[in-house]
Amino acid sequence: MPGKNLSREEARDRAAIIRVERYRVHLDVSAAADADRSTFRSTTRVSFACDAPGAASFADLLAPEVVSVELNGTALDPAEVFDGARVALPGLAAHNELTVVAECAYSRTGEGLHRFVDPADGETYLYTHYEPADARRVFANFEQPDLKAPFAFTVTAPAAWDVYANAVAERVVEEGAVRTWEFAPTQPISTYLTAVVAGPYHVVRDHYRRELADGGVLEIPLAATCRRSLAPYFDADRILDVTKRGLDFFHEAFDYPYPFGKYDSCFVPEYNIGAMENPGCVTFNEEYVYRSKVTEASYESRANVILHEMAHMWFGDLVTMKWWDDLWLKESFADFMGTFAQLEATDFQDGWITFANQRKAWAYRQDQFPTTHPITADIRDLEDAKLNFDGITYAKGAAVLKQLVAYVGRDAFFEGARRYFKKHAFGNTVLTDLLDALEETSGRDLRAWSAAWLQTSGVNTLTPEVARDAEGRITELAIRQDGAPLRPHRIAVGLYDLAPDGALLRTGRFELDVTGARTVVAEAAGRPAPALVLVNDDDLTYGKVRFDEHSLETLRTGLGSLADGPVADGLPAPSLARALAWSAVWNLTRDGLMPARDYLDLVRRFAGREANIGVLLSLHQQAGLALAVYTDPARRAEEAAALAECALHELAAAAPGSDHQLAWARFLAELATRADHLQLLRGLLDGTGRIDGLAVDQELRWSFWLALAANGAATVEELAAELAEDNTAGGRRQHTRCLAALPTPAAKAESWSAVVDSDALPNALVEARIAGFNRAGQRELTAPYAGPYFELLERVWAERSIEIAMRIVGGLFPRFQTVPETLATTDAWLERHPDAAPALRRLVLECRDDLARALRAQECDAR
């Protein structure tokens, strides 16, 4: 497979003969502030051994121009050895020195070295992002995770800038208008983990100190950075506090000192993902720097991300998967450890509620696609790898690990991890390496567990079967397991009954192993039949939960009262059980087993009683989706009006200044279509209206403007005036989204063309254009684009970077054209393009599955 899409076989063959000794990379970005300069000079010197002298191999490089190539002192003609993606290396010696000088391109897509100009002050900022294979956009290398080496970076940049990399700067030399930063060599790491961040960043510094068991002292310099224009909003102390708490926890849990010297947390603009675990220089999406009031769920989410990336310092950076097949060896563990550490080390104690309600919803959706895959996936090439950063690798993997910890025991799990780190430090591993360590410490045979959970795909369904006698006692309680393959599940079964105060409280709990198609809960026989049987109470396993009819009827009237503890001030305590129940009824709705109108009714009646703000935000998101695509079109307008009235009522009832008040205000803005609702939003914007305690700050203003724009109640001039007041990166994104949401054919045509006919927009504005263009309430305006969408797919995939192509393919799919004709058009494209790129077909297949599911749900709702 030639070109930029490196295959697993090519990587395996190269690793069989190449051993990389070290890299020395010099990047000259001194002219980065010059908008007319599209490239920067990159010089790479790599020393490597070849175990098959005389063999040929190749280095990876994506660059507009290669200036020179020298191999073992011999100059090679770039025109002959460079094909735009690879540098051919003929006649290798036992020991080799390769020098490649190239003009590499600044990125506007978040891949490689991204360049951003801050509209607030005109300052230029740079940062790198490489995973899975974009380091080759910045320097020549062997771009695969198992060819680790130390990296020594030198960066020449404007004198007013600071530069950050994986290691500490050993020397900084200033020469006139530039400074050159020379960084110490790193520990052996993979190419995708290297990082450079450069610009006039605002920085807050701190220090971490820990006494080690051997009597030594570990000193870790800490830093947190953001753009200067964001400095007034930067709560660095809070970020660094979570960082230090996490370092305490992971040192205690893993008994392996943090191995990468310093720990920088760099918040960067236009980032494609939440964060990246570059050792010593972690990059975060700067949207975690909050310009306006956010709910506590946002701070919880940010803490989880900080701890997730920190877990990677051990799971992923210290010990790295050999190839992307075993991506779970880092992402599943980091996803699990992020939540585990949050509960152990911070004040955020509802992490497993959030995990059960949000992360696992992502996993259940992904695992029901026709493109689902085992947690240990078959990754044929880099395009496969890019798409496998998904709900299975992250959330399902983490859920399975949660069960594994319960299965082998916490102490055995962490002792196994410690031995794994010590044995494989700075190396690469596969699945069996970790299983060997865990078997050694737990005494359990994990091969059968691995075969069932890690090497098969699909989600099981667990349903209680309750038989009652005439006196209302249980004669038999059994758990039926459906779905192939059947798996062993360690679960808890909770029995719930109504208390005198109306709360639905747990009165019994049984923990057991479910194996096979049907498992009897023997201990339940003879007990009074409860109002509710909750399978997978405490969320120990990964599987969809169903209810017996009696339990489902109980939830229809009492879901809002389901609690793990006493009811206070009319609201149940934050409840994992209630989050699981909400998750279960959502899965019933997605599966076409509960009419969308029934789910929306549950939300209208009980969401206002939800104490956990993260669960409430999930309910808002899911209710919006149910309304948009699962509701019978004949009753959609009626359901929308009822849901908007619910949002208005709950907004008025919420405590002034509370997270719940803010959440309901945003939800009302998403739903508002009626004149009086829009007038309320306009009054809140211009000050003629007021809701006690609701601070209409900048982000909320944009939410209101989006609602007005989408309903034709805002002018282009008004939106421009708002942008003038908020001439920032965030303001520019929001303004772009509002323009794309205007309900006119011209606005849709302009946004479509800006995204598909040109690559001038940076990644953040591509995303904003798509979000404003493809809106559920504007089906008639976007219907004409369904045909052109399928005509552009292969061109977009061939011409755009994979990151932007993925956004266009997924974002512009006509998902709100929920009619059989759209499904037929999708099927016709898939039938006519059997040889399209597998990753492209996967994306279209997943969109197709969402559409087919929506049609089934609409049929259910229409009955």
Side-chain angles (χ1 to χ4, degrees):
M1 185 182 295
K4 64 179 68 173
N5 191 12
L6 179 73
S7 73
R8 177 176 51 201
E9 286 69 27
E10 288 178 309
R12 183 181 299 137
D13 290 346
R14 185 162 63 178
I17 63 170
I18 298 296
R19 288 177 290 110
V20 188
E21 296 164 355
R22 65 174 179 169
Y23 286 90
R24 289 163 292 168
V25 179
H26 181 203
L27 306 178
D28 185 348
V29 295
S30 57
D34 182 353
D36 294 329
R37 291 286 298 271
S38 61
T39 64
F40 58 93
R41 178 60 59 95
S42 168
T43 302
T44 305
R45 295 177 176 86
V46 54
S47 303
F48 63 98
C50 176
D51 291 337
S57 189
F58 61 92
D60 301 293
L61 178 66
L62 296 175
E65 179 189 357
V66 170
V67 178
S68 64
V69 178
E70 183 180 288
L71 178 62
N72 297 329
T74 300
L76 304 180
D77 184 354
E80 294 181 2
V81 299
F82 179 61
D83 65 1
R86 298 179 177 185
V87 179
L89 305 176
L92 294 174
H95 177 79
N96 301 272
E97 295 286 339
L98 171 67
T99 301
V100 179
V101 180
E103 288 292 319
C104 294
Y106 291 110
S107 169
R108 303 192 74 195
T109 66
E111 302 154 293
L113 181 62
H114 189 83
R115 178 168 61 178
F116 172 83
V117 179
D118 191 340
D121 56 19
E123 294 284 6
T124 299
Y125 293 88
L126 306 177
Y127 65 87
T128 59
H129 178 69
Y130 298 149
E131 192 174 40
D134 283 319
R136 57 194 171 145
R137 295 181 184 273
V138 177
F139 60 93
N141 60 62
F142 298 107
E143 187 83 286
Q144 57 191 79
D146 58 342
L147 290 178
K148 286 185 166 184
F151 289 80
F153 280 91
T154 300
V155 181
T156 301
W161 286 15
D162 284 332
V163 181
Y164 304 86
N166 303 95
V168 298
E170 290 185 320
R171 194 162 74 109
V172 181
V173 178
E174 187 164 344
E175 297 177 311
V178 302
R179 283 194 290 179
T180 297
W181 298 67
E182 297 177 5
F183 292 93
T186 68
Q187 295 280 11
I189 58 176
S190 302
T191 54
Y192 78 91
L193 291 169
T194 59
V196 171
V197 175
Y201 283 90
H202 168 76
V203 60
V204 177
R205 299 191 183 277
D206 204 339
H207 203 78
Y208 175 85
R209 186 177 190 275
R210 181 180 181 85
E211 294 183 3
L212 301 177
D214 62 5
V217 175
L218 180 66
E219 303 274 358
I220 304 175
L222 307 178
T225 76
C226 71
R227 288 184 291 121
R228 284 181 181 172
S229 62
L230 284 179
Y233 314 104
F234 194 39
D235 54 341
D237 289 348
R238 193 166 182 169
I239 291 165
L240 291 166
D241 177 65
V242 173
T243 302
K244 287 186 278 190
R245 289 173 181 241
L247 288 169
D248 272 340
F249 169 78
F250 285 115
H251 279 117
E252 192 70 30
F254 293 157
D255 190 32
Y256 193 107
Y258 172 71
F260 299 110
K262 66 184 179 69
Y263 202 102
D264 297 337
S265 299
C266 301
F267 291 77
V268 299
E270 296 186 330
Y271 207 36
N272 286 328
I273 59 174
M276 179 64 201
E277 67 270 17
N278 316 306
C281 188
V282 183
T283 40
F284 292 88
N285 193 317
E286 70 175 19
E287 291 186 22
Y288 288 118
V289 179
Y290 305 121
R291 298 194 306 152
S292 298
K293 176 179 170 59
V294 295
T295 68
E296 192 67 6
S298 294
Y299 291 105
E300 177 192 302
S301 174
R302 185 177 68 184
N304 183 281
V305 171
I306 291 171
L307 296 170
H308 174 118
E309 303 310 323
M310 189 175 291
H312 274 309
M313 298 300 131
W314 290 266
F315 279 113
D317 295 0
L318 175 65
V319 183
T320 311
M321 71 276 154
K322 189 175 184 66
W323 177 249
W324 302 101
D325 292 353
D326 284 308
L327 180 60
W328 81 284
L329 279 173
K330 72 184 192 76
E331 294 302 349
S332 298
F333 280 85
D335 217 46
F336 168 75
M337 291 305 309
T339 300
F340 192 98
Q342 196 172 7
L343 270 71
E344 296 283 327
T346 77
D347 297 331
F348 298 107
Q349 295 299 298
D350 292 339
W352 290 127
I353 295 176
T354 304
F355 182 81
N357 192 255
Q358 295 179 13
R359 299 299 283 181
K360 290 180 79 171
W362 180 28
Y364 294 144
R365 175 176 178 264
Q366 191 80 45
D367 210 9
Q368 294 176 88
F369 281 145
T371 57
T372 187
H373 58 84
I375 295 172
T376 55
D378 179 23
I379 303 301
R380 297 163 295 184
D381 53 47
L382 292 177
E383 286 192 359
D384 276 359
K386 183 73 172 179
L387 266 64
N388 259 46
F389 290 82
D390 61 16
I392 294 172
T393 301
Y394 283 74
K396 180 180 179 179
V400 168
L401 285 175
K402 186 181 180 188
Q403 181 178 117
L404 176 62
V405 174
Y407 182 59
V408 303
R410 172 176 170 156
D411 291 345
F413 174 80
F414 280 106
E415 179 56 28
R418 294 174 192 126
R419 296 185 187 185
Y420 174 74
F421 298 139
K422 290 180 173 66
K423 182 175 181 179
H424 300 287
F426 304 111
N428 296 86
T429 57
V430 294
L431 166 66
T432 53
D433 293 315
L434 181 63
L435 294 183
D436 287 346
L438 293 174
E439 285 182 337
E440 187 178 292
T441 56
S442 69
R444 288 184 177 269
D445 181 355
L446 296 180
R447 292 318 193 260
W449 177 89
S450 171
W453 281 107
L454 301 180
Q455 296 165 286
T456 61
S457 60
V459 56
N460 298 122
T461 301
L462 303 174
T463 306
E465 296 178 340
V466 187
R468 299 171 171 83
D469 62 19
E471 286 74 37
R473 293 187 174 277
I474 297 174
T475 57
E476 184 182 74
L477 171 59
I479 308 302
R480 188 180 78 244
Q481 179 181 184
D482 297 300
L486 300 180
R487 298 184 176 96
H489 296 263
R490 183 68 180 175
I491 69 165
V493 178
L495 309 183
Y496 288 78
D497 277 298
L498 285 170
D501 61 1
L504 195 57
L505 300 178
R506 188 161 66 189
T507 56
R509 179 185 184 277
F510 308 103
E511 191 167 321
L512 69 153
D513 291 321
V514 169
T515 57
R518 194 171 188 273
T519 303
V520 174
V521 186
E523 300 93 327
R527 292 182 61 106
L532 167 70
V533 176
L534 181 60
V535 177
N536 197 27
D537 208 358
D538 297 324
D539 198 34
L540 298 183
T541 194
Y542 170 83
K544 291 191 296 184
V545 169
R546 303 297 196 214
F547 301 102
D548 64 289
E549 283 301 319
H550 186 82
S551 295
L552 189 56
E553 282 305 309
T554 296
L555 288 177
R556 291 184 191 279
T557 58
L559 194 158
S561 300
L562 181 59
D564 295 333
V567 173
D569 299 325
L571 288 174
S575 166
L576 179 57
R578 195 168 60 255
L580 292 168
W582 277 118
S583 175
V585 295
W586 174 242
N587 280 319
L588 286 170
T589 306
R590 290 191 73 246
D591 291 346
L593 300 176
M594 172 181 280
R597 63 182 182 274
D598 288 1
Y599 177 79
L600 292 173
D601 181 63
L602 289 171
V603 171
R604 289 194 298 268
R605 287 192 290 129
F606 299 129
R609 301 195 65 197
E610 180 52 58
N612 184 282
I613 187 62
V615 173
L616 178 62
L617 292 171
S618 291
L619 295 178
H620 288 168
Q621 180 184 32
Q622 291 164 355
L625 182 60
L627 180 64
V629 297
Y630 296 158
T631 300
D632 176 16
R635 56 164 53 94
R636 190 177 287 140
E638 173 188 347
E639 293 291 345
L643 195 58
E645 279 300 304
C646 165
L648 183 62
H649 170 78
E650 297 297 345
L651 173 60
S658 66
D659 284 358
H660 286 64
Q661 183 188 55
L662 178 58
W664 285 108
R666 289 175 175 167
F667 194 44
L668 176 62
E670 292 175 18
L671 298 167
T673 58
R674 232 169 56 186
D676 56 334
H677 294 164
L678 296 172
Q679 189 58 42
L680 170 63
L681 300 184
R682 182 168 283 279
L684 292 170
L685 281 169
D686 63 23
T688 60
R690 183 175 180 275
I691 295 177
D692 187 29
L694 183 66
V696 185
D697 53 27
Q698 189 58 66
E699 291 302 314
L700 195 55
R701 288 183 66 83
W702 280 117
S703 296
F704 292 169
W705 278 119
L706 179 62
L708 294 171
N711 286 279
T715 67
V716 172
E717 292 75 20
E718 287 176 316
L719 297 175
E722 188 68 24
L723 178 61
E725 293 295 317
D726 183 29
N727 187 27
T728 64
R732 184 171 58 169
R733 288 195 304 273
Q734 297 283 14
H735 176 255
T736 299
R737 186 176 183 182
C738 288
L739 290 179
L742 289 170
T744 66
K748 297 305 175 188
E750 180 183 353
S751 291
W752 176 271
S753 179
V755 170
V756 305
D757 296 332
S758 169
D759 62 358
L761 289 179
N763 53 340
L765 296 189
V766 168
E767 184 176 32
R769 283 278 188 182
I770 290 173
F773 173 89
N774 208 3
R775 293 181 61 83
Q778 297 177 338
R779 289 175 171 83
E780 292 184 3
L781 283 166
T782 56
Y785 294 91
Y789 167 83
F790 290 100
E791 295 169 5
L792 65 81
L793 288 177
E794 288 189 299
R795 173 173 65 84
V796 162
W797 198 259
E799 295 177 358
R800 301 296 185 88
S801 74
I802 190 169
E803 182 68 39
I804 298 301
M806 287 170 59
R807 293 188 186 204
I808 293 174
V809 173
L812 291 182
F813 182 84
R815 63 184 181 277
F816 298 123
Q817 308 299 326
T818 48
V819 292
E821 291 78 8
T822 312
L823 189 65
T825 303
T826 309
D827 287 340
W829 186 90
L830 289 165
E831 184 176 351
R832 290 196 308 270
H833 296 84
D835 298 323
L840 171 59
R841 282 184 57 85
R842 172 178 168 171
L843 289 171
V844 176
L845 277 165
E846 291 177 354
C847 290
R848 188 252 182 225
D849 191 73
D850 277 339
L851 178 62
R853 182 179 292 274
L855 291 172
R856 292 194 298 271
Q858 288 182 12
E859 290 176 5
C860 173
D861 196 47
R863 290 197 288 268

